[in-house]
Amino acid sequence: MGPSAAPKPTLQSAWNLFATHWRTYLALQLTVLGLAVVSAAIGLLITVIAVAVTGGVSADLPEGVTQLVSSALNLPFSILYQVLAGLIGVLLSALPALWFATGHHLNYRESLALLRANPRRYVLAGLLVSVAASIGILLCVFPGLIVMALTPIYVRRVFTSEEPLWPAFWACFNDLSSGPSAIGLIGYQLIIIPLILISALFCLVPLLVTVPLAAIFIQQYLAAWEIGAPLPSLEEITPELL
């Protein structure tokens, strides 16, 4: 199937795509939630073990030592959780990007297969954005906000092309300054973010809808205006390859 022509970006058309594939988006979010629960349980268990070990060695050890031991033991599990949760979470944005690029919307199983097919690329891409955003926030806040604004474009480039990560990242800056349509993207993001935060006030449940819906809308906008357009070769991607 060829690429799906991106309709005019509206909440209705974004909702239609979400309503068709809501099971996939729900499964991805529940997987992230499950990973968070497992990570918290492991952290609690490690804390109990650290208290038992340090207390057994000496009851006079300061509390800070126990916390240090607990943090050191939990560090690899924490890193693993961050990587897995980040990889699965980014699929909420990558799936609609792939839909508009290829005309095929991956289901839950195919989504995980996509990550397994090239985990190094996606982990390094996430690390690059995280480091760049952190440095930008530390330097002057504004550069970090720019990196956050271009992240959906970067997701589209990473998942819908074979571009090397660093050139793709720098190309996103050009995409973000390419004209009125790119400025409109920032405007939509400024509207969507507070709406998501408001939905989080209702026991977090609405986030299961608002987060993927916002991701779909933004990727629809990028596709409609051809911001961060994928390479033509991506059209050769088929479910069989996954």
Side-chain angles (χ1 to χ4, degrees):
M1 182 183 295
S4 174
K8 180 181 178 181
T10 64
L11 284 177
Q12 181 61 55
S13 54
W15 171 260
N16 291 340
L17 182 60
F18 171 77
T20 302
H21 302 283
W22 67 269
R23 291 178 180 82
T24 297
Y25 293 105
L26 178 61
L28 291 172
Q29 292 177 94
L30 291 180
T31 300
V32 173
L33 179 60
L35 289 173
V37 171
V38 171
S39 177
I42 291 175
L44 179 61
L45 178 61
I46 287 177
T47 298
V48 172
I49 293 175
V51 170
V53 170
T54 54
V57 173
S58 174
D60 298 326
L61 286 176
E63 183 179 349
V65 174
T66 301
Q67 294 177 344
L68 181 61
V69 172
S70 176
S71 298
L73 292 175
N74 192 50
L75 182 60
F77 298 101
S78 178
I79 293 175
L80 180 61
Y81 163 72
Q82 293 294 334
V83 171
L84 293 178
L87 283 174
I88 296 176
V90 79
L91 288 173
L92 298 177
S93 183
L95 294 189
L98 284 165
W99 159 248
F100 292 119
T102 68
H104 175 68
H105 195 289
L106 305 185
N107 59 32
Y108 180 74
R109 179 184 58 81
E110 291 171 336
S111 301
L112 298 185
L114 174 67
L115 295 179
R116 291 194 300 268
N118 198 354
R120 181 175 178 273
R121 175 176 175 83
Y122 304 131
V123 170
L124 291 179
L127 181 62
L128 175 58
V129 169
S130 298
V131 171
S134 299
I135 293 175
I137 293 293
L138 290 176
L139 289 180
C140 193
V141 178
F142 187 68
L145 296 179
I146 292 178
V147 173
M148 294 178 187
L150 62 77
T151 297
I153 306 175
Y154 190 53
V155 170
R156 188 177 190 220
R157 285 187 170 276
V158 168
F159 279 88
T160 65
S161 80
E162 297 300 325
E163 287 182 275
L165 297 180
W166 186 249
F169 179 71
W170 280 110
C172 291
F173 287 94
N174 292 330
D175 294 331
L176 199 61
S177 59
S178 59
S181 58
I183 300 301
L185 170 65
I186 297 177
Y188 278 122
Q189 288 176 316
L190 292 176
I191 295 173
I192 286 173
I193 291 175
L195 291 178
I196 290 178
L197 294 177
I198 291 173
S199 71
L201 299 177
F202 297 91
C203 299
L204 301 179
V205 175
L207 290 178
L208 297 175
V209 174
T210 57
V211 170
L213 188 61
I216 292 171
F217 180 85
I218 292 299
Q219 287 300 330
Q220 180 182 244
Y221 185 92
L222 297 179
W225 291 99
E226 297 185 351
I227 301 174
L231 298 178
S233 60
L234 184 74
E235 297 178 15
E236 300 173 6
I237 292 182
T238 63
E240 289 75 13
L241 294 178
L242 300 177

